[in-house]
Amino acid sequence: MVRHFADWLGEAHEIDFTIGTWELAKSMRRRDSDVPLTREEMFGYLGGFFPEEMHRQTLVPHAQAALAALAERADIVILTNLEDHCRTHRIDQLAGHGIAHRVECNQGGKGAPVARLVAEYGNPVTVFVDDLPHHHESVAQEAPGVWRLHMVSEPQLSPGVPPSPYAHARIDDWQDAQAWIAARFDGGLPAEA
């Protein structure tokens, strides 16, 4: 998402976005100024990108194949922090890439919705995959028995995002992640708090 968002900011708004950290606003500058955007401005542009520009997004390498293989033995739920009005757009976008799984929208920390999903599905092994470190902290607090994989699959961004101390592993490639996730299912045990 970040790379395509940066392209759109430059083309449509003459904003240069230097990808390299999750502090997005600090990395955005209007071409006629050295002052970074405020968080409010950044969120305004994110709101402008979704859902009208979602078609720009592409899959990261190996994501579709890894999810298809994992779906043979697990229920997959895509928990996104997009606002509710973007849910149908995200479902359609993913389906266009051959990914058809349940999509749930959420605003804020993902721990509480993950805990609700665990209660709903009742599976002894659950794996949470996310790129934002604070979501791993939230899940660790609200659903400590869930395995947590920190993945930043955007190559331009991953070097600038330190591994979350609340994740059990950091893997930025879907092929390696698929093997790690499958091993958690093979083990059959919940994560230790």
Side-chain angles (χ1 to χ4, degrees):
M1 184 282 289
V2 178
R3 186 167 31 94
H4 306 293
F5 180 52
D7 292 344
W8 175 74
L9 285 173
E11 295 164 9
H13 301 284
E14 296 189 358
I15 292 175
D16 291 324
F17 180 18
T18 305
I19 302 170
T21 174
W22 271 127
E23 296 183 272
L24 303 183
K26 292 181 180 179
S27 302
M28 298 177 186
R29 293 199 174 26
R30 289 183 179 78
R31 292 193 178 139
D32 60 357
S33 172
D34 287 334
V35 179
L37 271 62
T38 64
R39 284 180 52 83
E40 292 76 21
E41 289 173 311
M42 181 269 298
F43 279 117
Y45 284 113
L46 277 173
F49 186 79
F50 295 105
E52 285 79 15
E53 299 295 326
M54 289 170 70
H55 65 275
R56 292 175 174 258
Q57 293 181 303
T58 56
L59 287 179
V60 297
H62 314 293
Q64 194 276 336
L67 291 173
L70 292 167
E72 292 178 6
R73 62 190 302 189
D75 296 304
I76 295 176
V77 178
I78 297 168
L79 179 60
T80 176
N81 266 7
L82 291 177
E83 294 183 2
D84 293 339
H85 71 277
C86 294
R87 183 174 178 273
T88 301
H89 298 282
R90 178 63 92 201
I91 291 169
D92 293 343
Q93 174 199 34
L94 292 170
H97 292 294
I99 297 174
H101 302 292
R102 177 177 169 185
V103 174
E104 294 294 328
C105 293
N106 173 70
Q107 286 75 57
K110 293 185 177 179
V114 167
R116 285 192 298 272
L117 288 166
V118 169
E120 176 184 339
Y121 284 93
N123 293 328
V125 178
T126 303
V127 179
F128 173 74
V129 180
D130 204 275
D131 54 356
L132 293 176
H134 66 272
H135 288 311
H136 291 280
E137 180 177 6
S138 176
V139 172
Q141 292 171 352
E142 301 284 338
V146 169
W147 292 99
R148 298 173 300 278
L149 175 60
H150 188 193
M151 176 188 284
V152 183
S153 54
E154 174 66 65
Q156 291 177 280
L157 184 59
S158 61
V161 180
S164 170
Y166 296 94
H168 295 100
R170 166 71 180 262
I171 302 171
D172 294 334
D173 172 80
W174 265 109
Q175 288 178 317
D176 294 337
Q178 177 187 340
W180 187 88
I181 294 167
R184 307 292 75 78
F185 293 143
D186 291 343
L189 298 172
E192 292 184 11

